[in-house]
Amino acid sequence: MTKPILEIKELKTSFKAYNGLLPAVDGVSLTVNEGEIVGVVGESGCGKSVTAQSILRLFDERKEVKYEGEISYGGVNLLSLKAKQMSSIRGNDISMIFQDPLTSLNPVYPIGEQIVEAMLAHQRISKKQAMQRAIELLQLTGIPSPQERYHQYPHQLSGGMRQRVMIAIALACRPKLLIADEPTTALDVTIQAQIMSLLARLNKQLNMSILLITHDLGIVAETCHKVVVMYLGQVVETASVQELFQSPRHPYTQALLQAMPRIDSERGKPLTVIEGSLPTLNQLPQGCRFVSRCSYATEKCHSASPILKPVEGVQALVRCWNADLIKIESRSQGQQARSGGEDHVIQSVQS
Amino acid sequence: MAIYVLKRLLALVPTLFIMSVIVFIIIYLIPGDPARVMLGDGADEATIQQVREQMGLNQPVLPQYINWISGALQGNFGESYFLGKSVMAAIGEHAGPTFSLAVLALLLSLCTAIPLGIAAAKHQGGLADKLLTAFSLLGMAIPGFLLSLFLVLLFAVKLKWLPVSGYASLQDGVWSYLKHLILPAVSLSPLMGAIIARMVRSSMLEVMNQSYVKTARAKGVSEHRVIYKHVLRNALIPIITVTGGAFGTLLAGAAVIETVFNIPGLGQLLVHSVARRDYAVIQGIVLFIAFLYVAVNLIVDLLYVVADPRVRLE
Amino acid sequence: MLFNPSNRRKPLLQVENLHKSYWSKAKNSFKKARVRAIRDVSFTIFAGETYGLVGESGCGKSTLGKTLLRLTEQDSGSILYEGNDLAKLSSKQLRHYRKELQMVFQDPYSSLNPRIVVGEALEEPLHVHRIGTPQERTERAMDMLAAVGLKREHYYSLPHQLSGGQRQRIGLARALIVHPKLVVCDEPVSALDVIIQAQIIQLLKRLQHDMNLTYLFISHDISVVRHISDRIGVMYLGRLVEEGDTESLFQQPTHPYTKLLLSAVPVPDPFAVKKEWQQEGELPSPLEKIAGCSFHTRCPYATERCRLEEPEPKRVNEEHWAACHYA
Amino acid sequence: ANGTNNSNISSPGPTDAASADANVVDANEGKELATELKFPLDQSIPTLDPHLSLGGSNSTVVLNVFEGLFSFNSSYEPVPSLAESYEVSEDGKNYVFHLRQGITFHNGKELKAEDAAASLNRWKELAPRAKSSFGESEFEAQDDYTVVLNLNEPKNDTLAQLSHVLNFAAIMPKEVVESAGPDGVKEYIGTGPFKLVEWKADQYIHVSKFENYQSPDGESDGFAGKREALVNDIYFTLALDNATRFSSFLAGDFDYVDVSIDNLPLVENDDSIELVKDLSTDFNLIFNKKSPLFSDIAYRQAVAALVNAEEILLGITSTPDLYRLNPSYMYEENAKWYSEAGSEAYNQSNPEEAKRLLAEAGYNGEVVRLLTTKDTGSFYNASLMLQAQLEAIGVKTQLDIYDYATMLTKRADATAWDIYLGPFIVPSTPSQLLYLNPSYGFAEDAKLAELLKKATAALTDEEIKEANDELQAYVWEYLGNVKIGDTYRYKAIRSNLQGVTTLYGIPNLSNTKVYKKS
Amino acid sequence: MVKRQQAEAINLYKLARREQLLQQAFTNTRLLWGSLLAILLLVVALFAPWLSTYKPLEVDIVNRLAGPSTQHLFGTDNFGRDVFSRVLHGLRNSVQVGFIASLLASAIGLVVGLYAAMYRWLDQLLMRIMDALFAFPAILLAIAIMAALGASMLNLMMCLAIVFIPSVARIVRSSAVVAKQQAYIEAQRAIGSSDTRMIWQHIMPNTLPALIVQGSFVFAESIIVEAALSFLGAGIPAPTPSLGNQLSEGKMFIFQSWWMTLFPGIALIVAVLAVYLLGDGFRDLLDPHTAKKGHAKALYKRLSGLNQAGKEGTAS
Ligand SMILES: Nc1ncnc2c1ncn2[C@@H]1O[C@H](COP(=O)(O)OP(=O)(O)OP(=O)(O)O)[C@@H](O)[C@H]1O
Ligand SMILES: Nc1ncnc2c1ncn2[C@@H]1O[C@H](COP(=O)(O)OP(=O)(O)OP(=O)(O)O)[C@@H](O)[C@H]1O
Ligand SMILES: [Mg+2]
Ligand SMILES: [Mg+2]
């Protein structure tokens, strides 16, 4: 359970702009252990997707980006692999599903073919066998009557089903690690719930690690074992789920938790609002990147950039000079509210 | 599908109607008349009037138009004053050369445009891309008739490889047929090639940014397969659209080239018919070209169905 | 109206039996199809309250919002605003009411003209309604910028120079500058990150208080709706299936769809008891005609009756009803 | 003159192509003959109906397919062709034509007098010049091989009218004539050395050797005398574009082409190409006698005083080699009708006088509209030169350029133009002069008509000379038109094409043989 | 106080915008080349009478068909007219015809396109007519119209305008339809704007980039079609020099006097090229969403521009 399968150390991904490099990701370190679901959360544009795609090196290195740091998978640094070797890892050892199931499937080929394509790219099996397996996969992901669906085109499926097909493609070669980049943002809550439970089930059944990128703390709380919080291209906090929700240490994490209207919180209580501006990627402040919006900021925060380090009393890693000083927020309001409405909800559905 | 095609063809009726009215108005406005052209320089006024009378040209426009349209509705588009045959027959004879020319020019354009477009999209900003920019700009800026002058000078007059002008039908032998069409087709193709190449490039680039291409890459599919299987196939619809448009334009717009190369095509026939005021033929050709235009568009739409399973005709 | 609650409060907008269908050419098909976006919707919004509207994507929320403001024409039904039926007015007569009925749009990126500076965009409504001199308009726009927490400099910004949150503030300012009575907020925060979302929600609340506004608040995020609304309507496939005051609705969700919706919302609390997911099936296409209860395809309790017979609204309590045979 | 078969051969024609040909050492000795000839046509052909057709291109084809009772020799003298002989009454009013016997049409039918009469009656209705000459009289078939024509008054141009190449008095089968519609005959059946095989409008006209052809006797001269088809097939190929036509010649597609002076160097030094210069057209300036200005003779005189014929001709032909000054409306080769009477008025080139006359006439800056076209011929160049001359003495001008069809319509409209300057094919008698009758420029002058009639009615050579001088002198006095001059054209003929002769610029392709190119 | 602040802000904004535009203009090679060529064209067009060494109509039969020399830079034509001077005047006329024709076509096409996009019943009517005109091959329609109206420069301009109205109207209509569906147009309606205001104030500017590109295309096409028409003998009436006239005359002398074809030909290509480049360049400049994806410079601007102004919010 604790054997790491993916370790990222100080990853830096910079986009080539016409007058220099634009570091969209600068300082991401995280570890995914075998069988673990790791959540990555953060604001839009903070570099979650770039991180995910950097792992598979999906950007064009000749023109688009420059990678630095280390991504080690099973002891091999992916960033040092040749293009061919990288191809053999993609979809095979590590696979990925994207945010938008509506556009992530090629509209002109039947879905079955697209699943089979992944298998044929990596495995030596006959077309027939591949087809058989594809149907099994469709079944596994909970698509009714997979035989017929196999020959259907993406537009003939609903959003939820398409996302299942995406998952089936990702699972085609039984990867050890699945990277899911906001797999449910385009879907309705009810469908989201189905997909999330499917992922959780696959994680258990296949002992497959998942790197789950999302902006929804609710999903993190319900599905993940570990959480990585990102802000402006950096990891600012990593912690186990319980720890993070119980005692968030980074001011940004705290802000996130408090700004969210919750279904289980006291109604009408004002949300916490933080002001301040977000710096641009090409004009980053010298010190901490959160400094412009942080209410705890000190002189030091303005001048020196903090590093990701363990904090006293918890297992979390936090990128904050004041992590030790910041008062631990009491456990989320939900605890009190939960006894109210929510239990009832559960009951009513199950009844 | 048959119903769909039928519907589309029916939708053509108002367009054709409007066109026929426009043509009639133009004909009404153009001075000069066929009787005078036929009787030539120095014919006396009395004879001309007599022939005009016999041709029905002395009627007012409206009866003339009604006459014509009621014939047209029964599939009779009239007789040419000069060709000694029905308009339909004349068009049928002249459509072949135009069609051959358009097809050959289109093939030439496609053969240059598609590889160039793909290469340019694959290596955006690279050599192929720059080449494409140069090619497309020049292709659009050099008029076909200008190009044709120099092509004739070089390949026909100086080198004597190809004939200067004229047309041979397929029955006269494939080589003879091609020989006569090569220069005109080459003169016509740069413009089409330029437009198609641009479209191939931009359409490919557009598709390359789609997330399903990323999905394909994330599956570990080879780059070659990504380009040719995933990107090109999806980039096809806009390419088909411009190609169809280009073909339509070729069919309709080869008049100048046909004149330069003395190819007995529709364009030339129309130019001649305007010159000698062969009214029925002018009407017929204009409507026929419009019909072709729509037919090409219809075929393009039908091709969409093949290219993209999302498109359905019902 | 069936469940008209006590007349303590003054109804501002009463919608009765509203219908709206689109004849749309599906994107890649050449055939026209009928989308029944709103089917027989009736409800009342009282002055000064926030009425929340939730439902899945495509269930007709935006269409309802736009139809109320006559941005799209309804097929049938009446929209009584302070006793006048908006549905019957000509577009000229409607102009007058446009001042009092405003809208904030979902997408802060596309709801501002990219070529027009913010200030001009703000003055536009004043200009249209011929309010004030140019000087006064500019002053009012500047005031409004301040009211929504922006600086005066932003007057000269182009939309693309602003962040999403800032744009949404502009959208809000533009709606409020003519001092409307009712503001339809169509998913005003769903394109925003939590932190910005919180800012806008607080701003909405403050302005409601300051300017005595009535909101129709549309969202697919039930947590947000719960946070801001006094009363909530739940929509499913063009129908209002349940309506009630917020407390009651969350205490006592009655329609199975409401229950499903509530249970599907992930709770940001790792200690919460995990639920067993029970639901199956997916949203049927609005293109298909569904007989009986529109939810029966997904409802675990569906019976023969649900398949055949359309349920009538049933009262749960004074201000709370649900359209389910088994409520 | 009790003319019977007038077959004396007069002095050689201007081009003398035939004899030049004979002198050329036959470089093709020992070469194989080809059976096919591809011949360029430079104008589109609206109809192949010989009675209707007016353009030179038509005649190129028509004269090989059809024959008339008479043909011109190279001195523009009528020589019997389908006619065996003829008789004219003393008073010049009654003609009897005896047809050759045993002539068959291309459709196999034998030529009879009724065919000739029917054809000629149709012809005289359709050809304006014939109509004005003997509109009231009828051709009648007396027996199977005799046709008679009785005129009201003597016409010395009768035979010339029957020979003329434009609106050619071709003989066709009676049935064909009778079934003809307003737009011409439906079938093209003649008696000529070639028969029509296929007419692909706007592309080519294919004629092939007529095996049963019966040639008239006598030495070949012009279109008269012995004719023989020496190739099996001729494709008259339309090549309207000058540049294309010439490049096709250079590329070897054609063996015959007209050469502009500027292209001359390209063919001049080629031994295998023979250059032939032939008289093609004359240019005349026509006044619109109904226009506000030129209805006044003073203005016509002013323009006549101004015209520098030489400059205009140079503008048309670009070289002194290709034109000659000529005050007469006839070519000097046509000895019978050539006259220099009134020639003082020709080519005056006197701007001062012109200015004076204008001032006298009270010219006040009115715009003179020059009607022209760019479509065919050298109308445009000529008008351009004239415009320059007019402008130089302060006449306001406007060049109205239309396409050919429009120009024809405009020219028939008395309100649409003032001056028209164009090429004319020179006929053999004054009665065929288009511009002396009202259809060109609305000449409605009683004296002119009177003199013309007199000239036509004259019977003896002396009478003719006298009447003609009088007419010509009056033409220069009346100034309905101003003669500019005669022009030549160069033709380039490849040496493997032998025996092409031309008359009126129209090639005679019978007696022409083609050798295969090595 | 407020006034001063305001003025300052306006100035700042204007400055920034100008700087941005300038910067874009200079990094836009097409625009740069296009403008250079266009300036050249403009100079030629405006100053042709002063630049030319002879009168374009001055006939000098003696010196006809003389090759390029110091006296006649581009040689002389078959009338001995100076080709250089004629090319200058030809450019002037061709450019003038193209410009006015495209201006007319753009203006009318704009109105037709906008109103067709706005009102459905009008759409049917207008677009059917446009379809009919569109299906007419441009050259052939032009020949017919020129035959009907008679050859003159004014008629040619009108005729070209008629020929090109449909293509402009179609483009304008389709981008207006897209613009009409934008949320901010709906927002405008919600505010209570009148249709006229909506069309001209809000929809029209959005069609401008497309209009400019299409307009420039029409401009370039007009120059070509004018030449083709003159080539067929239906263009600007001779002797007025136009590039097409010169080409069609040169054609006859191409074997010995290549300069009569070559120089007008080059002039034509340069003119068309200039207009195309300019159109393309302008589109890039005017379009607020310049960034073709992957275009590094534009992307960079978008990224940095986006967040610079952000005083509080997110990046997106
Ligand atoms: N191809 C690219 N070229 C240049 N910059 C890019 C590219 N892709 C992303 N970026 C920039 O990198 C930063 C991080 O983007 P990323 O997509 O990782 O954000 P994200 O956290 O996934 O946001 P979201 O929640 O919106 O998906 C952003 O500022 C984005 O604009
Ligand atoms: N202009 C239109 N033409 C045709 N169909 C439309 C149009 N607008 C909306 N629809 C259809 O009407 C239904 C309701 O759409 P609406 O936008 O009101 O849903 P919504 O609840 O607002 O969804 P979302 O949460 O995605 O915004 C959908 O099926 C939609 O596809
Ligand atoms: Mg992302
Ligand atoms: Mg919506």
Side-chain angles (χ1 to χ4, degrees), chain A residues 301-320:
Chain A
C301 299
H302 281 278
S303 54
S305 180
I307 53 161
L308 197 62
K309 58 169 203 278
V311 186
E312 219 177 291
V314 281
Q315 296 204 309
L317 303 173
V318 182
R319 194 186 289 271
C320 177

Side-chain angles (χ1 to χ4, degrees), chain E residues 123-181:
Chain E
D123 189 28
Q124 282 301 317
L125 180 72
L126 288 176
M127 281 301 135
R128 281 297 84 66
I129 295 176
M130 291 296 125
D131 280 351
L133 279 177
F134 196 77
F136 255 96
I139 293 239
L140 302 177
L141 183 58
I143 289 176
I145 298 179
M146 286 303 279
L149 299 180
S152 82
M153 217 145 119
L154 191 71
N155 287 348
L156 183 66
M157 290 170 193
M158 289 201 328
C159 154
L160 287 174
I162 294 174
V163 165
F164 287 113
I165 286 170
S167 69
V168 176
R170 281 179 155 205
I171 297 279
V172 169
R173 178 181 170 274
S174 64
S175 59
V177 165
V178 171
K180 197 183 148 197
Q181 287 161 353

Side-chain angles (χ1 to χ4, degrees), chain A residues 99-304:
Chain A
Q99 177 166 1
D100 190 356
L102 302 175
T103 60
S104 298
L105 286 170
N106 194 330
V108 302
Y109 296 111
I111 54 163
E113 246 177 64
Q114 300 187 47
I115 303 173
V116 165
E117 190 182 22
M119 287 185 237
L120 294 180
H122 299 291
Q123 298 175 349
R124 298 183 151 215
I125 53 170
S126 72
K127 265 219 154 123
K128 218 163 172 194
Q129 283 171 305
M131 190 169 158
Q132 197 50 47
R133 287 226 26 221
I135 292 172
E136 283 167 27
L137 280 170
L138 287 175
Q139 205 145 28
L140 179 72
T141 51
I143 292 184
S145 51
Q147 238 100 6
E148 286 103 75
R149 296 289 186 191
Y150 182 94
H151 298 287
Q152 286 188 329
Y153 289 94
H155 71 272
Q156 293 166 314
L157 307 182
S158 69
M161 290 228 250
R162 280 189 233 182
Q163 197 55 292
R164 284 167 210 255
V165 172
M166 280 301 297
I167 295 173
I169 292 177
L171 296 182
C173 298
R174 301 245 163 196
K176 303 206 180 61
L177 174 64
L178 174 69
I179 303 171
D181 188 357
E182 312 211 20
T184 55
T185 20
L187 305 172
D188 282 316
V189 265
T190 53
I191 314 296
Q192 164 176 306
Q194 293 173 11
I195 298 289
M196 289 323 301
S197 74
L198 170 63
L199 283 179
R201 199 184 82 219
L202 291 170
N203 163 255
K204 280 209 193 83
Q205 272 180 10
L206 309 175
N207 194 29
M208 177 181 62
S209 313
I210 298 177
L211 185 66
L212 179 68
I213 294 169
T214 176
H215 59 251
D216 188 335
L217 284 171
I219 289 178
V220 170
E222 284 185 350
T223 18
C224 299
H225 304 129
K226 214 163 81 188
V227 192
V228 176
V229 182
M230 285 183 69
Y231 183 78
L232 260 187
Q234 289 184 328
V235 170
V236 292
E237 180 162 1
T238 63
S240 71
V241 177
Q242 290 83 354
E243 216 169 46
L244 188 93
F245 281 87
Q246 210 160 24
S247 52
R249 285 308 181 98
H250 197 281
Y252 174 64
T253 317
Q254 292 181 354
L256 266 187
L257 284 170
Q258 287 163 9
M260 189 170 47
R262 303 168 52 138
I263 198 163
D264 57 347
S265 68
E266 190 187 323
R267 222 173 64 76
K269 183 188 166 201
L271 302 168
T272 312
V273 168
I274 54 169
E275 302 285 348
S277 71
L278 191 72
T280 58
L281 283 180
N282 58 336
Q283 288 174 341
L284 290 171
Q286 261 198 330
C288 176
R289 293 190 175 180
F290 189 59
V291 72
S292 58
R293 297 163 96 180
C294 184
S295 50
Y296 304 100
T298 62
E299 206 42 45
K300 192 177 181 188
C301 299
H302 281 278
S303 54

